[in-house]
Amino acid sequence: MRRSEAREIMPPDPQMDVGSQHFALSPRELECLIWVTRGKSSGDIGGILGLSPRTVDSYLEKVCSKLRVRTRIEAVVVAVRAGVIEPD
């Protein structure tokens, strides 16, 4: 799947409420997180989006920080539970 196809799977509003907290993910942060749900590594995501693996890691670290979780898998769980992304 290429970048243009990835845009089609992104929900229109990457904001979520988790508990009493409201979080807003950037479009790129959300895009990286969606690829994580599909089992892609940082290297794979970087290749798809035209980014370095380290840049992907940076986006995912920001997601984890915003959601107050430690791992990308925990971030996926929180986003799915909040209804921001659909599990594949």
Side-chain angles (χ1 to χ4, degrees):
M1 188 173 292
R2 290 286 164 221
R3 189 181 326 190
S4 61
E5 294 169 326
R7 287 193 181 106
E8 294 173 8
I9 63 171
M10 291 179 58
D13 186 10
Q15 298 185 13
M16 67 181 95
D17 292 309
V18 179
S20 62
Q21 301 289 326
H22 180 77
F23 301 96
L25 300 179
S26 74
R28 191 63 100 179
E29 290 167 350
L30 182 62
E31 195 170 23
C32 289
L33 191 60
I34 288 170
W35 284 111
V36 170
T37 67
R38 295 183 171 198
K40 300 296 184 188
S41 68
S42 293
D44 293 338
I45 297 168
I48 293 166
L49 301 179
L51 304 170
S52 75
R54 179 63 194 120
T55 301
V56 172
D57 286 340
S58 178
Y59 282 123
L60 293 171
E61 287 168 8
K62 289 176 187 173
V63 169
C64 289
S65 177
K66 288 180 180 181
L67 300 182
R68 297 185 179 162
V69 297
R70 290 185 182 164
T71 69
R72 58 179 66 191
I73 300 305
E74 289 174 317
V76 167
V77 170
V78 169
V80 168
R81 286 184 178 165
V84 173
I85 57 176
E86 296 287 324
D88 282 343

